[in-house]
DNA sequence: TCAGTGATGTTATAATATAACATGACTGTT
DNA sequence: AACAGTCATGTTATATTATAACATCACTGA
């Protein structure tokens, strides 16, 4: 792993939510990262390698939370709109169903995105506690 | 439907691929649309109403291809990287599996995104025809 | 007549992503 | 040692996507 990739990867591992490229840029300015391209290049490599996932719904990036993505080709992300935390899962049943949907239509899949946005359990209880008066 | 919404919706219905907001803006300049916000506002309403879907993977928008999204909460899109066409499907098995994944974790889902990018059947055969020599 | 609401229009700007070009560090060869 | 090749790096400029802030207009119901 190159210098810049290491910096970006470490930052993402320490973060508890997806970071945007510019979040990363700002956080790493004093480590020598000065331009967006330095971040985007590192991210591209990390994503290609599967160490980092891009979250399309929020234009952000997270470190992979599963060992080798659990051997699954598809990660499922649950994204809390409030605390912004991202949780990664895999599911063999969805995997195979998606697989056959593609096969049925002769579609050669390169990348799959499954993202669910909403409120995580913690943030729901936090909300009901502070309910309207 | 308001004037601007109608313009945007018609354009999307006629398009054979997802259009970006700025694609739409350019296409509708001579119909009186002059600023990005006019497009984004129309899109927001159309998406809210379910008439149009946002495709996160390509920052684009497509008219819904299913009658009332087939009654499903989740649409599955297959996006060809070459011809750029988007095909919309639903699948009850994935629906319910995703549902229970959320339930298991007490996650209150607001929106779900499933997008598969790759090569559609047509573009695969087109590629093998022009294969390397 | 007037307040309220929602669509509209306009300018400016924020946030996200890439193009184009120059340099530097390292490798393996001749 | 000199050189070509490759890949990471750095830098400036620019493209693309999205929203903020403010002003106006048209319609509705009291």
């Amino acid at each position: 792993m190159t210098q810049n990739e290491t910096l970006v990867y470490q930052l993402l591992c320490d973060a508890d939510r997806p970071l945007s490229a510019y979040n990363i840029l700002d956080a790493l300015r004093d480590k020598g990262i000065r331009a967006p391209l330095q971040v985007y290049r590192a991210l591209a490599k990390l994503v290609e390698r599967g160490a980092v996932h891009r979250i399309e719904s929020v234009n952000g990036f997270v470190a992979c939370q599963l060992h080798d993505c659990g051997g699954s080709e598809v990660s499922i992300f649950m994204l809390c709109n409030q605390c912004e935390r991202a949780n990664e899962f895999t599911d063999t049943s969805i995997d195979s169903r998606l697989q056959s949907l593609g096969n049925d239509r002769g579609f050669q899949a390169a990348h799959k995105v499954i993202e669910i946005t909403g409120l995580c359990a913690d943030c729901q209880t936090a909300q009901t506690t502070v309910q309207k008066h």
Side-chain angles (χ1 to χ4, degrees), chain A residues 12-117:
Chain A
L12 285 176
C13 285
D14 294 345
D16 65 341
R17 60 184 179 89
L19 299 181
S20 77
Y22 282 77
N23 288 159
I24 296 172
L25 174 57
D26 288 342
L28 296 180
R29 274 195 199 283
D30 52 350
K31 297 261 165 62
I33 301 280
R34 257 165 273 181
L37 210 50
Q38 293 176 275
V39 175
Y40 280 109
R41 286 203 275 231
L43 286 170
K45 289 295 171 82
L46 291 165
V47 167
E48 181 185 325
R49 202 178 296 149
V52 164
H53 298 294
R54 173 163 222 279
I55 309 291
E56 299 289 346
S57 301
V58 300
N59 292 328
F61 299 83
V62 287
C64 178
Q65 296 165 21
L66 309 173
H67 186 285
D68 203 22
C69 287
S72 165
E73 329 165 30
V74 207
S75 281
I76 301 167
F77 287 95
M78 289 194 196
L79 308 162
C80 182
N81 285 327
Q82 184 148 320
C83 67
E84 296 185 2
R85 255 180 268 270
N87 279 292
E88 181 176 0
F89 308 100
T90 56
D91 185 273
T92 52
S93 139
I94 290 181
D95 264 27
S96 60
R97 191 76 193 103
L98 225 42
Q99 188 70 45
S100 39
L101 274 180
N103 288 344
D104 291 352
R105 291 163 182 83
F107 193 93
Q108 189 175 75
H111 186 59
K112 299 172 186 173
V113 172
I114 306 184
E115 295 172 2
I116 309 178
T117 52

